[in-house]
Amino acid sequence: MATVHTNSGSPSSGGSGPRGPLYQVTIRELSQDFSEVGPDYPPRDLGPSDAEKFRQLLRQLCAIDPLKLVDADPQIIVTVKSGRFLIQPQGGKLLVRPVNALDQIFFKLTPDEIPAFLDDSAPKPPKPVAPTTLIGSAAAHFDSKPPIPPKPAAAPPPPRNSSRLILIALSVVAALVAAGLVWVFFFSTPPPLPPPPAATKPREFDLMPADQLASLQKRFAGTYATSGEGGERMLDLHADGTFNYQEFGTGLSMTTHETGSFTFAWRHGTQTPVLRAGPLGAIELRDDNAVVVRTLVFTRLPAPPPK
């Protein structure tokens, strides 16, 4: 990949001034129009972009549906004058970190904040130190003083009995060794065992193309229940991708009510569609008129007659 080039010098023949910084962009696990994500999309080099085009790419990355990020890791790798940076969507913003230091701190920014952050991330040259500082003046003043003559050496102490000193030293060493052994055997605690390695969860679902996803949402939209006209449990699937789940007790009093959004996916490595509805988990599709929610079979209720 090429680094960012900042054009300088005389204006072009059209009279326009020097261009701003360029951003060399590469995408991973992304379609070229950012509408689809997944590991099936290989890395693609989009070439250099100016600041406005780069911001538009960042806004498209930030706007990806969070549900699509469950089984995908879309990324933008941008090369600028100060280095290469990895950009990923998370929580409505974008994570930015240097490619050569992915284990260090990251920055969470909006798309409009990232170009200025990248332009200012290059290391600044240190300011020259003024030659006439207080420390320099003091050092020069100290160097100008004449050296202090050394003090006369003290007379050596009278000789001692060397064998007695050796016995005392050996006694001290033996006492220290004994104290260390007592500490190791009676007071020290063994180091904790390392935690077992985390088991890697196998991939369970594959993403589904957008056209098939819209077709299944429309096909399975309706009301499903476990029994009776009202049913003990009822599930409403709406064509806009939202659901409404209810459980009823004695006298049709509602005991549980859950809402949220749902989508469809393939079971990993198969062409078997599964409905995924957040807290309800994976819902199996028996046929057009029956689904299985939490091990219970829900049957589609007839649509009400038009008014």
Side-chain angles (χ1 to χ4, degrees):
M1 301 179 184
T3 55
V4 172
H5 302 284
T6 304
N7 294 334
S8 59
S10 60
S12 64
S13 59
S16 60
R19 298 189 331 189
L22 297 181
Y23 305 85
Q24 188 75 23
V25 177
T26 299
I27 59 176
R28 292 180 179 173
E29 297 199 23
L30 274 168
S31 62
Q32 190 166 4
D33 59 357
F34 286 46
S35 62
E36 297 297 330
V37 299
D40 295 335
Y41 292 97
R44 183 187 297 270
D45 188 359
L46 300 186
S49 301
D50 58 18
E52 184 56 36
K53 183 179 178 181
F54 181 51
R55 288 192 190 94
Q56 181 60 32
L57 295 176
L58 295 175
R59 295 186 189 111
Q60 290 179 263
L61 181 66
C62 191
I64 293 175
D65 187 350
L67 289 176
K68 294 184 177 181
L69 304 179
V70 175
D71 296 316
D73 186 19
Q75 303 172 359
I76 282 181
I77 297 178
V78 58
T79 303
V80 293
K81 187 175 182 180
S82 57
R84 300 176 69 231
F85 294 83
L86 176 69
I87 305 175
Q88 301 168 278
Q90 187 184 82
K93 288 191 176 182
L94 298 173
L95 300 183
V96 184
R97 68 187 83 186
V99 171
N100 60 353
L102 297 180
D103 57 341
Q104 296 183 6
I105 189 171
F106 59 85
F107 300 88
K108 197 168 187 179
L109 306 171
T110 64
D112 292 335
E113 294 171 338
I114 292 178
F117 169 79
L118 297 179
D119 295 340
D120 293 338
S121 62
K124 305 298 187 298
K127 295 182 179 180
V129 180
T132 56
T133 61
L134 293 177
I135 297 176
S137 300
H141 178 69
F142 177 80
D143 292 339
S144 65
K145 290 184 177 181
I148 300 175
K151 294 182 179 181
R160 289 181 149 185
N161 190 341
S162 59
S163 61
R164 184 181 177 186
L165 292 177
I166 293 174
L167 290 176
I168 294 175
L170 291 176
S171 301
V172 172
V173 171
L176 292 176
V177 171
L181 292 175
V182 170
W183 171 260
V184 169
F185 286 106
F186 296 100
F187 297 101
S188 63
T189 57
L193 296 175
T200 304
K201 186 178 180 181
R203 185 172 177 178
E204 190 174 356
F205 303 104
D206 294 331
L207 291 178
M208 180 176 292
D211 56 343
Q212 295 180 351
L213 185 65
S215 175
L216 286 175
Q217 284 182 344
K218 183 178 179 181
R219 173 181 165 188
F220 283 93
T223 301
Y224 300 79
T226 54
S227 65
E229 295 183 358
E232 298 176 358
R233 292 172 175 80
M234 184 175 295
L235 173 66
D236 289 312
L237 299 178
H238 305 289
D240 62 355
T242 59
F243 73 87
N244 182 22
Y245 175 77
Q246 304 173 66
E247 293 184 5
F248 299 91
T250 306
L252 293 182
S253 60
M254 186 184 304
T255 60
T256 299
H257 185 200
E258 297 179 74
T259 60
S261 59
F262 70 90
T263 185
F264 292 87
W266 301 117
R267 285 206 179 273
H268 180 56
T270 71
Q271 291 295 306
T272 303
V274 178
L275 190 151
R276 302 175 64 190
L280 299 182
I283 299 176
E284 297 183 13
L285 308 176
R286 288 284 182 88
D287 51 42
D288 288 359
N289 296 310
V291 297
V292 179
V293 183
R294 295 173 178 172
T295 71
L296 295 176
V297 177
F298 283 60
T299 304
R300 186 197 293 263
L301 298 179
K307 296 182 179 181

